[in-house]
Amino acid sequence: MDIKSKINLEKLPRHIAVIMDGNGRWAKEQGMARVFGHRNGVKAVRETTEACTELGVQYLTLYAFSTENWNRPEAEVNALMALLVETIKNEIKTLNENGVRLRAIGDLNRLPDKSHKTLLKAIDDTKQNARMTLVLALNYSAKWEIVEAVRKLAAAAKSGEIEPSDIDEQAFSNALSTAGIPDPELLIRTSGESRISNFLLWQIAYSELYFTPVLWPDFRREHLYQAIVDFQNRERRFGKTSEQL
Ligand code: FPP
């Protein structure tokens, strides 16, 4: 029985989030520069997006660039930004053909002008698509996002728009950059690291975490299917007992 046929399509995660990791190590294994790993990581992005769309997953969030990634060598940062612009431009047609809407979360205003403009255009050009939403986390960190949400709510309370007692979990979720997007049920991290690295800290409160040793450029649809099968074999109790489920 192949791995795909083990997936129960009635119980798919609605939202899968991925920490794409291991591009640099993959390149090093081949004796190549780190950027070669990022370029090959695009193949995995494409395949994962296609597979999620075909299965019927509604949201896929990819951690493409963290706030901390600015600390990398300048040449790598520039190459990543250029790759992003190039990939987004190249993929708009395919995204539209497959009904994929692009969204982005993160401090987008601080992206280089060209990357920012390309991103906003792609978001606008795909806004009519409804089959799946691909969310790119760019210049994103969860602590930044949480602080921004607190500022927004504090300003609303100060101006009298809301009462402090109006702030509940739903109001807080609505103040995050992921407003309107269901929390991910499944979070995948590649490359054998078992860390969250400042990604979606609020939203993953009840996510199932799946860590695989596969380096991101080697990640293929079968790896995604395996992660989903693993997810479907877990018991999600949300604080209840097994007997109560
Ligand atoms: C982590 O590997 C990967 C990144 C920081 C960037 C991910 C970017 C891409 C896959 C390319 C473009 C993406 C899109 C969505 C168009 P690492 O460099 O941290 O690897 P290492 O841990 O082995 O050094």
Side-chain angles (χ1 to χ4, degrees):
M1 197 172 174
D2 73 299
I3 186 74
K4 189 180 180 189
S5 53
K6 288 188 187 160
I7 297 176
N8 178 351
L9 294 174
E10 306 293 314
K11 289 189 173 165
L12 276 180
R14 263 205 301 173
H15 182 178
I16 299 178
V18 186
I19 302 177
M20 310 179 286
D21 196 13
N23 295 351
R25 276 163 283 165
W26 186 89
K28 199 172 175 190
E29 277 178 6
Q30 332 254 333
M32 302 293 279
R34 296 177 56 81
V35 176
F36 184 67
H38 297 315
R39 290 210 159 267
N40 281 276
V42 174
K43 288 183 197 163
V45 169
R46 201 175 288 128
E47 191 149 329
T48 305
T49 308
E50 268 174 26
C52 282
T53 312
E54 285 163 17
L55 282 173
V57 173
Q58 290 170 29
Y59 295 88
L60 171 67
T61 298
L62 301 176
Y63 203 3
F65 195 89
S66 76
T67 317
E68 291 83 15
N69 284 152
W70 293 112
N71 298 324
R72 293 188 172 203
E74 196 183 339
E76 184 176 344
V77 171
N78 292 341
L80 264 173
M81 287 298 154
L83 184 61
L84 190 79
V85 172
E86 184 189 313
T87 307
I88 291 174
K89 276 190 181 159
N90 288 343
E91 299 298 325
I92 290 183
K93 190 164 171 275
T94 316
L95 293 177
N96 279 331
E97 282 166 2
N98 291 287
V100 180
R101 176 178 184 175
L102 190 70
R103 274 183 68 165
I105 55 171
D107 193 359
L108 307 180
N109 290 323
R110 294 180 64 187
L111 290 174
D113 209 33
K114 195 173 166 199
S115 312
H116 192 196
K117 282 197 178 119
T118 305
L119 182 68
L120 294 185
K121 184 172 181 329
I123 290 171
D124 195 56
D125 287 349
T126 60
K127 67 173 187 280
Q128 72 287 350
N129 298 332
R131 191 168 165 205
M132 188 181 78
T133 301
L134 172 64
V135 184
L136 294 184
L138 281 166
N139 195 20
Y140 174 88
S141 88
K143 286 189 175 181
W144 165 82
E145 180 188 41
I146 288 170
V147 170
E148 282 298 303
V150 170
R151 282 191 183 147
K152 218 188 281 180
L153 293 168
K158 192 178 176 194
S159 68
E161 214 179 303
I162 57 166
E163 288 297 323
S165 57
D166 293 337
I167 302 171
D168 55 11
E169 290 186 12
Q170 191 55 51
F172 195 79
S173 290
N174 291 343
L176 294 169
S177 56
T178 48
I181 299 176
D183 290 343
E185 291 96 332
L186 172 61
L187 171 72
I188 300 172
R189 181 171 188 148
T190 59
S191 92
E193 307 289 354
S194 312
R195 279 192 295 277
I196 299 302
S197 300
N198 216 347
F199 190 43
L200 302 177
L201 294 180
W202 172 272
Q203 299 87 338
I204 60 166
Y206 271 104
S207 303
E208 295 296 328
L209 309 182
Y210 180 85
F211 299 105
T212 168
V214 175
L215 302 176
W216 180 249
D218 287 331
F219 194 84
R220 290 293 172 267
R221 57 182 67 228
E222 288 70 27
H223 299 116
L224 176 81
Y225 299 153
Q226 184 61 60
I228 295 175
V229 169
D230 188 280
F231 163 82
Q232 292 185 332
N233 286 330
R234 297 187 194 181
E235 185 178 72
R236 305 188 77 212
R237 290 195 295 275
F238 302 101
K240 294 183 180 172
T241 66
S242 288
E243 293 70 30
Q244 285 175 299
L245 294 176

